[in-house]
Amino acid sequence: MTTTKRQANNRLSKLPPSLPQEVRRIDEANVGRLGLISIQERIPESFTSWTVDFEVDGRPARLSCDAVPKYGGVPHGLDGDVATALMDLYVESGCPEDGVLHTTAYQILKRAGLGDSGRYYQNLRQTLFRLRTATYSASEAWRDHRQRKWTTVTFNYIEALEFTSPDGELGLSRTSTLKLRLAESIVRSIRAQYTKPLDLEFLTSLDRPLTRALYRLLDARRYPPEDPRERLPSYTVNLIAWADACKIVDQRSNKIRATLQGAHEELIERGYLADVAYDGRGQKQEITYLFADTGPEPEPLTPPSALLQDLLNYRVALSVSERLLHEYGDEHVAARLARFQRLLEQGYKARNVSALLVDVIRDTEGKYDEKEKLVEAVAPSAVGKTSSRARPSRPSDPAPLLLPVAEEDPHQNASLEERVDAAMKTVQFLLRERLSVTEYARLRMHLIVGNPDPQVLGRRALKAKMEGQLDMLATELLAVLHQGIIPADK
């Protein structure tokens, strides 16, 4: 068996769970608590649906899933890692209201802590189709945080999906670009800040998919649904009910215990659980999880600082705001906030104000510098053909791009893949629907061969946004991307 990057890293370092105050990632509380994805790594081909009945505040509730057999049954195993990665990438992109995420197959696998081999890209394709086609129904089981009541929702985890494939193939590869839309119910809940902390670093360091899935589910149950800020020291549940929550197929008590044993051992070894105890026999058996002491409980909520309140006023999520202040410090955030406000005063039209503010704070490339030099980056067809005599333009000649030039390349020590990845994230975030998924894939190939330079294009996109010229930039890029197929005589 090929050793994955995760397994190699784990041999070098076994990360303990972070203190609650240090956790800066989030999980949507409904998704975490309900356990939409079976914790089992492998399931029978016949496992294409499940239904769980339970009570919420003394009232009957039901959760069900109906999947398409051709894609391997209900979502399970590694699907949970991918689903968590998608949610994290969505939050990082600023939580756009339409729920649309532009990303790449490479970014998803990297965020999920999975390998970069062909096998993982094949698995990713199956996972995305399972999350797209499996239909969930939560009857009186979905918490509406704004209305403070339980509701009924029906959704697919991914409601729309587009991606590009390598030439002559139908799967995913490192060069594949994706556009997907998360379920409206999940998006609405995240934007309402119905979330709980998620120790993503600890999660991705766990060895087995089953352990990671059980950790997500257990950690969600540790936070009461009415107030996901409070933490419980222990959790007790009926063994059969817990098998339902975990979506375990064989619900004989001895089989349930055997399925969970390896995950229990790893979570105890890693310092997340202090003990796991069983009480009773047969279907009346109960299981109690005693959480390890990971430090003091979170401090009581206090009024936000003036700087934190400024971020919240621009609709930056609380968890994201706290993470930015923790990672960059008050002085850095205050300076970038002032720069952001000057951009708005100068007429910068932001489609998503909160996402722009987050990007300004995180910028390490000087993308938002107030003084920039410009250079004309001529398309390949014009390189080496300049002369004192002007050449008549033709529709097949793409317009030259005016690109900002960095005084110093902050990515000079980064790999080509990392530089291309950074440029694609910036361009996809700003241009969004102006280019299709196929055109984004073609742009990625251009960036790989250096036409245009990844960092230069990223800076050009930011300048186009500041000057209200994103449509012009999209037109110029399309001309470059299609120049090889547009007839010269038209």
Side-chain angles (χ1 to χ4, degrees), residues 1-7 78 81-82 105 109 113-127 172-173 207 209 212:
M1 178 182 296
T2 302
T3 301
T4 66
K5 183 185 296 184
R6 184 201 310 279
Q7 292 168 328
L78 290 177
D81 296 313
V82 172
L109 291 178
L114 301 175
D116 189 32
S117 66
R119 174 170 63 92
Y120 282 106
Y121 285 104
Q122 293 173 11
N123 292 340
L124 176 60
R125 183 181 185 277
Q126 283 293 97
T127 288
L172 290 172
S173 73
D207 285 331
R212 297 192 294 273

Side-chain angles (χ1 to χ4, degrees), residues 318-368:
L318 176 62
S319 58
V320 176
S321 299
E322 291 175 336
R323 189 193 314 165
L324 291 171
L325 290 168
H326 174 76
E327 292 180 1
Y328 296 99
D330 289 3
E331 184 176 350
H332 173 93
V333 172
R336 294 303 176 90
L337 175 61
R339 180 177 300 180
F340 163 80
Q341 291 170 333
R342 287 194 295 273
L343 290 176
L344 297 184
E345 292 169 359
Q346 294 166 4
Y348 193 114
K349 302 299 182 182
R351 180 172 180 177
N352 187 320
V353 173
S354 60
L356 173 64
L357 175 54
V358 171
D359 197 49
V360 171
I361 294 173
R362 287 178 171 162
D363 172 40
T364 58
E365 304 176 8
K367 295 187 292 187
Y368 298 95

Side-chain angles (χ1 to χ4, degrees), residues 65-77:
C65 174
D66 293 289
V68 177
K70 67 181 289 186
Y71 295 124
V74 299
H76 62 280

Side-chain angles (χ1 to χ4, degrees), residues 37-58:
I37 296 170
S38 170
I39 72 169
Q40 294 190 246
E41 297 175 46
R42 295 177 179 81
I43 61 173
E45 293 182 1
S46 59
F47 192 24
T48 57
S49 66
W50 49 256
T51 299
V52 179
D53 292 302
F54 52 100
E55 288 190 355
V56 175
D57 290 344

Side-chain angles (χ1 to χ4, degrees), residues 256-267:
I256 298 171
R257 293 176 64 153
T259 299
L260 297 173
Q261 182 177 350
H264 289 167
E265 292 172 352
E266 186 176 358
L267 290 175

Side-chain angles (χ1 to χ4, degrees), residues 214 218 233-240 242 253 256-257 260-261 264-265 268 273-282 284-291:
L214 183 64
L218 259 180
S234 64
Y235 177 66
T236 300
V237 61
N238 173 269
L239 185 63
I240 303 300
W242 190 232
S253 58
I256 298 171
R257 293 176 64 153
L260 297 173
Q261 182 177 350
H264 289 167
E265 292 172 352
I268 290 174
L273 293 175
D275 193 20
V276 178
Y278 293 93
D279 183 47
R281 301 183 64 180
K284 294 184 178 180
Q285 193 171 174
E286 289 188 335
I287 179 171
T288 296
Y289 292 98
L290 180 63
F291 298 105

